[in-house]
Amino acid sequence: MKKAAGILLRSLLPLALLIGGWVAFYNLSRTPEKPQLPPAKSPPIRTRVSELTSTDHQVLIQSSGMVEPHNQVNLSSEVAGKVTTVNSIFESGSYFTPQDVLVEIDPSDYQTALAVATAQRNAAASALELAEQEYRRKSELQSTSAIADAEMDQAKANVDQARSQLDTATANIEKSTRDIQRTRIRAPFAGRVRDKSVGLGQIVGSGTLLGTIFAVDFAEVRLPISSRQLQFLDLPEHPVDPAIDVELRDAIHPESSPTWKGSIVRTEGVVDENSLETYAIARIDDPFGIHSGNPPLRIGQPVTATIRGKKLQDVVALPRHAVRQLDRIYLVDPQTLKIRGKKIQAVWSDSDSVYVRDPELAKGLWLATTRIVFAPDGASVEIIPEMEGLEDALPDAPQNTTN
C-alpha cells in the first residue's frame, strides 16, 4: 500500500511541475491591461485678434507710365541755303522762348529774288499805266466812230495783260519776302531742345531736319487702367467732364523722390486689344518747375501714379495677412472665445488690406490675425495680447489693429 502511494506521488510530481510552469508562462505572457484614462483635451488655438468695424474708404488706384511732351515737333528748314548762324540756345537741353531765332540761313539769293521781283513790279506798273491811258484815249475816239472795234479790243487786252504782269510781280515780291523771313528759323513756342541735327556752314534744302524740340508748358503721362480699376473711377470722357486728381512719384526711387500734382483730363477712348486696358492721360503743368520752382519732372522719366477714385461706403478693412486662400478668414466670438471660418467676397483690395461689405462682420466679432494652419469650427481660442495690459481688457475688446 505504501509502495503504491509512493509510485503515485512520483507520477504526480512531474505533472504538477508541468502545470505550474504552464500557469507561470501564461501569466507572464499576458499583456497587462492599461488603466482607462480620460480623453485628452485639445489645447486652445492661440491667435491675435482685431475688432471688426465698418468705415468709409477712399479708393486709390495705382498705375505707372512715362512722362511725354504734349507737343514735340521736328524743326525743319522751309528754304534751301547755307547755315550762317546757329544760336547758342539751340543745343540739346537748352530752353528757348517763342520767336527766338534758332538757326539762320544765308538770305542772299532770296534778297536778289526780291530785288528782281520789285523791278518787275515797277515795270509792270508802268506798263499798266500806259495801257490804261491808251485804252481811255481810244474809248473817246470810239464815241465818234473814228476807231474800229478791233482796236478797242486790243487796247482792252493790253490793259488786262499789263495788270496780270503786275499781279505776278507782286506775288513774286510776297514770295521772296516770305523766303527771306524763312531764312530765320524761329521757335514756334516756349520749349526745350531735345536734339540738334544741323551745324554751322551746312548746306540744307527745303525740308531738311534741323533738330527736335518740345513744349514745356505742360507734360503728359499715359496711364493704363484695368477693367477692374475702371469701375472705381469716373474718368473724363467729354471736354466738360471734371478732371481727376493724380499724384506722381519717380518709379526708380519712389521712397526718396518728391511728388508732382497732376490731373487726368481725358482718355484715349479705346481699349488696348492686347492688355484690355484703357489709357488715361494725366496732365502736369510746369513739369520743369520754371515758374513754380518745383523739382523737374523729366521727359522720358518713368513714374508711378496714385489716382483718387470713388469712396467706398460701409466697408470692413481686413489685413491682407489675415485672409487665407484669397477668400477665407477666421472669426472669433468674443463671448465664447470660439473660432469659425468664413468665406468673403472682396469689394476692393490693395497691398495692405482687403475691403469687404458684409453686415455680419460688423456685429462685434473679432478677426483672427495670426497665421493659422487649421482651425476647426467651434475650437477654443486663447487670445495673444498685442501689448502689456491687454489681458485686463479681455474679453471686453481686443486691441484694434485695423484702420
Side-chain angles (χ1 to χ4, degrees):
M1 189 71 178
K2 290 181 179 180
K3 184 178 180 180
I7 294 173
L8 181 59
L9 182 60
R10 286 195 297 270
S11 299
L12 293 174
L13 183 58
L15 182 59
L17 291 174
L18 181 60
I19 292 173
W22 181 84
V23 172
F25 172 78
Y26 175 77
N27 289 332
L28 290 175
S29 62
R30 290 180 59 193
T31 301
E33 294 184 2
K34 295 182 179 179
Q36 295 292 330
L37 299 177
K41 186 177 181 180
S42 301
I45 298 173
R46 289 174 52 82
T47 181
R48 289 184 173 86
V49 295
S50 63
E51 188 175 2
L52 296 175
T53 57
S54 61
T55 184
D56 297 338
H57 174 70
Q58 175 66 61
V59 173
L60 298 177
I61 307 295
Q62 302 296 323
S63 186
S64 60
M66 197 83 69
V67 180
E68 301 174 352
H70 79 93
N71 186 17
Q72 177 173 290
V73 298
N74 293 326
L75 197 65
S76 301
S77 172
E78 294 184 86
V79 295
K82 179 187 290 187
V83 176
T84 58
T85 304
V86 177
N87 198 322
S88 60
I89 63 174
F90 192 52
E91 296 289 346
S92 298
S94 296
Y95 291 93
F96 54 82
T97 58
Q99 298 305 309
D100 279 346
V101 178
L102 303 179
V103 178
E104 292 186 50
I105 296 174
D106 185 3
S108 301
D109 292 342
Y110 305 103
Q111 291 171 344
T112 301
L114 176 61
V116 171
T118 302
Q120 290 174 344
R121 183 188 64 178
N122 294 337
S126 299
L128 176 60
E129 184 177 358
L130 290 174
E132 288 177 341
Q133 290 176 357
E134 181 68 12
Y135 179 76
R136 287 193 296 269
R137 186 179 66 83
K138 290 185 178 182
S139 295
E140 293 173 356
L141 293 175
Q142 188 184 31
S143 62
T144 61
S145 301
I147 190 171
D149 291 342
E151 291 187 34
M152 283 300 302
D153 293 341
Q154 182 62 45
K156 179 66 170 59
N158 291 339
V159 171
D160 293 341
Q161 183 179 4
R163 183 176 289 114
S164 176
Q165 290 174 347
L166 179 60
D167 291 342
T168 300
T170 302
N172 289 335
I173 289 176
E174 293 175 353
K175 180 181 183 303
S176 298
T177 302
R178 288 195 302 271
D179 287 342
I180 292 174
Q181 294 172 347
R182 289 166 178 168
T183 61
R184 296 167 63 87
I185 293 104
R186 299 179 181 273
F189 46 73
R192 201 168 183 181
V193 180
R194 185 155 194 166
D195 56 66
K196 182 184 73 171
S197 306
V198 68
L200 187 65
Q202 181 176 341
I203 303 298
V204 299
S206 178
T208 298
L209 178 64
L210 306 178
T212 304
I213 59 176
F214 59 87
V216 295
D217 51 349
F218 65 89
E220 294 183 340
V221 181
R222 189 168 176 257
L223 300 172
I225 306 297
S226 68
S227 57
R228 170 180 171 271
Q229 296 170 331
L230 197 60
Q231 60 183 316
F232 298 98
L233 289 172
D234 290 324
L235 294 176
E237 296 289 347
H238 305 283
V240 296
D241 292 340
I244 300 177
D245 293 337
V246 60
E247 183 179 86
L248 303 174
R249 286 183 177 272
D250 184 3
I252 300 176
H253 304 289
E255 298 83 7
S256 59
S257 76
T259 59
W260 294 271
K261 301 296 183 181
S263 56
I264 293 179
V265 295
R266 68 182 189 278
T267 64
E268 292 187 351
V270 297
V271 176
D272 186 273
E273 60 182 9
N274 296 318
S275 63
L276 300 181
E277 294 173 324
T278 299
Y279 283 89
I281 307 301
R283 170 174 171 167
I284 307 94
D285 293 325
D286 191 22
F288 293 95
I290 298 174
H291 306 291
S292 64
N294 294 330
L297 187 62
R298 306 182 188 281
I299 301 300
Q301 179 176 346
V303 293
T304 58
T306 302
I307 309 168
R308 292 176 63 86
K310 297 179 181 179
K311 180 171 285 189
L312 302 179
Q313 306 291 332
D314 297 326
V315 293
V316 178
L318 306 175
R320 181 171 285 278
H321 66 268
V323 180
R324 283 80 176 177
Q325 301 175 359
L326 301 179
D327 63 351
R328 185 171 181 82
I329 60 175
Y330 287 106
L331 300 175
V332 176
D333 189 320
Q335 303 300 325
T336 62
L337 294 184
K338 301 293 184 180
I339 195 171
R340 65 181 177 88
K342 177 177 176 59
K343 293 192 68 173
I344 60 170
Q345 185 173 0
V347 177
W348 173 252
S349 63
D350 52 34
S351 59
D352 299 321
S353 303
V354 176
Y355 300 90
V356 299
R357 186 180 286 115
D358 190 332
E360 182 182 356
L361 300 183
K363 295 181 178 179
L365 296 176
W366 294 347
L367 173 69
T369 58
T370 302
R371 296 187 180 276
I372 301 173
V373 177
F374 175 71
D377 289 352
S380 298
V381 169
E382 179 183 346
I383 305 301
I384 303 174
E386 294 285 352
M387 59 181 65
E388 184 177 355
L390 184 62
E391 296 88 340
D392 298 334
L394 296 175
D396 296 332
Q399 178 70 22
N400 189 352
T401 60
T402 61
N403 294 327

